[in-house]
Amino acid sequence: MGPIMLDVTGCELTPDDKELLDHPLVGGVILFSRNYYDQKQLAQLIAQIRLAARNQVLIGVDHEGGRVQRFRDGFSAIPAMGAIYQQGAEDLTKAQHYCKTFGWLMAAECLAFDIDLSFAPVLDLNGVSDVIGDRSFHSQPEPLIQMASAFIKGMHSAGMKATGKHFPGHGNVKEDSHIAMPVDKRSLEQITQLDMQIFTRLNEMGLLDGVMPAHVVYPEVDDMPAGFSKVWLQTYLRKKMQFEGVIFSDDLSMQGAAFIGNFAARASAALNAGCDMVLVCNNPDAAVQVIDSLPSNLPDNPRLAKLVKAPSADFRALAKTDDYTSALRTLEAYYNQ
């Protein structure tokens, strides 16, 4: 499975899409709202992707809930994670029940269309960051850990692996790394005790299958953004935390990656720092540049294969199950309370 995850143009594959998917370095495809018209079309598109890809590919999507949910019509409206605690009357046990149910529901619906991964959950604290905001479960580590662990257990019970983001924490910088280069000037001790303990604890619980680092610079630790930093990815994530799962780069098209250089340089820097797979989104020319810049005979990465989804029912079969009916009832009760 190759180290590049890219996107495709629209609701069906173009000849250019098919040519890119046939490259041996392509190991993943990420879907966006522009790739979705209805359920039938989505199923056909994913079948086309699987057919066109030379190798097995991971198919992913950002389907967190709230404002970050790529498929709407025909899919359940998963709430923003940041709304669940308040909606559950600040009862943590109730919030955990909602989180587990919604984690299962989100994952089960994606899996029913042969999607391997939703890049979830967000493990950032709800601090000063507008781009994180209500994507975060909570502003404090302890309730966040309790709610996120329940959400991940729901995902796992459906058959989907979990990817925590954005390591070591994006919630304490104001700038949006999609359009700027955020800098978090806190000490390592502050970051470790607050943001990073969330990732550490969930990893100790065996719940993190993947991690996506932040396009944020933490100058007290390293001058490189976390996703391009051997200090963060090797010294802390791999060695100190003993994380053994997949490290995904965040999108190399984001402004937070731009100062590294062109797309070839960004991909090379991320892979050299320790990323297992790099994401190149919304820029087909950049995807070509990255593909052309890397050796085409890179060895397969065995970590990536561990994220392939478990066998699952298609949507019609899923919709007939008691678990699905029960989850929809819980979702309805959540919105109606």
Side-chain angles (χ1 to χ4, degrees):
M1 199 173 283
I4 299 171
M5 178 174 274
L6 43 73
D7 54 6
V8 294
T9 307
C11 288
E12 55 187 44
L13 295 185
T14 65
D16 287 345
D17 291 331
K18 292 177 182 178
E19 186 177 350
L20 281 174
L21 288 168
D22 188 43
H23 196 281
L25 290 179
V26 174
V29 174
I30 182 168
L31 300 172
F32 290 91
S33 297
R34 67 171 185 274
N35 302 123
Y36 183 68
Y37 174 71
D38 61 23
Q39 290 188 346
K40 183 179 178 183
Q41 167 272 324
L42 181 64
Q44 289 172 341
L45 175 63
I46 290 170
Q48 287 179 345
I49 290 169
R50 299 276 188 208
L51 195 62
R54 179 178 301 200
N55 301 313
Q56 184 179 34
V57 289
L58 289 170
I59 297 182
V61 64
D62 288 318
H63 205 77
E64 303 164 10
R67 59 192 153 103
V68 183
Q69 180 171 326
R70 304 304 186 204
F71 315 135
R72 299 282 179 181
D73 186 30
F75 280 75
S76 297
I78 306 296
M81 297 300 105
I84 292 174
Y85 186 64
Q86 272 72 33
Q87 189 77 348
E90 301 190 358
D91 178 337
L92 191 54
T93 302
K94 193 172 187 180
Q96 286 177 285
H97 170 67
Y98 281 140
C99 287
K100 187 172 183 181
T101 303
F102 300 155
W104 181 89
L105 181 60
M106 177 279 293
E109 290 188 343
C110 288
L111 292 166
F113 289 90
D114 200 19
I115 293 167
D116 295 287
L117 293 170
S118 170
F119 288 109
V122 168
L123 300 179
D124 305 305
L125 291 164
N126 188 355
V128 300
S129 171
D130 294 329
V131 75
I132 301 300
D134 67 359
R135 295 167 66 194
S136 164
F137 289 92
H138 204 276
S139 59
Q140 297 298 318
E142 197 55 45
L144 194 157
I145 289 164
Q146 298 302 320
M147 294 169 71
S149 63
F151 190 86
I152 291 170
K153 287 172 184 174
M155 290 176 68
H156 282 171
S157 67
M160 180 183 283
K161 305 295 188 182
T163 303
K165 57 189 187 184
H166 304 81
F167 177 82
H170 198 310
N172 279 287
V173 285
K174 185 68 176 168
E175 300 91 346
D176 177 355
S177 54
H178 292 84
I179 56 174
M181 180 70 261
V183 177
D184 187 334
K185 296 179 181 177
R186 293 175 302 155
S187 68
L188 174 61
E189 185 180 16
Q190 288 174 299
I191 297 164
T192 303
Q193 290 181 354
L194 198 62
D195 311 63
M196 209 165 99
Q197 73 150 302
I198 298 160
F199 291 87
T200 302
R201 293 262 304 278
L202 289 170
N203 185 53
E204 288 169 351
M205 293 160 74
L207 295 176
L208 283 186
D209 309 292
V211 161
M212 182 176 284
H215 284 329
V216 175
V217 176
Y218 307 84
E220 292 297 311
V221 181
D222 192 15
D223 291 336
M224 298 290 277
F228 303 95
S229 165
K230 288 184 180 179
V231 177
W232 280 117
L233 302 188
Q234 299 296 328
T235 305
Y236 288 100
L237 191 54
R238 290 285 187 218
K239 290 179 184 171
K240 293 200 173 179
M241 286 174 54
Q242 297 186 312
F243 175 69
E244 296 178 356
V246 172
I247 303 176
F248 291 97
S249 83
D250 207 342
D251 179 11
L252 298 183
S253 301
M254 289 164 58
Q255 192 61 33
F259 92 99
I260 301 293
N262 64 19
F263 284 93
R266 297 177 206 181
S268 178
L271 291 168
N272 288 336
C275 289
D276 297 295
M277 180 170 270
V278 296
L279 277 68
V280 190
C281 310
N282 302 310
N283 191 330
D285 291 340
V288 170
Q289 185 185 128
V290 170
I291 285 170
D292 288 347
S293 71
L294 296 172
S296 59
N297 60 345
L298 288 174
D300 275 356
N301 184 332
R303 285 194 194 105
L304 295 171
K306 294 178 181 177
L307 296 190
V308 173
K309 76 178 189 70
S312 56
D314 66 17
F315 193 83
R316 282 186 182 178
L318 173 68
K320 294 175 183 175
T321 64
D322 291 341
D323 285 345
Y324 189 68
T325 304
S326 173
L328 291 185
R329 279 203 207 100
T330 300
L331 185 65
E332 185 179 6
Y334 170 88
Y335 281 120
N336 288 335
Q337 66 184 340

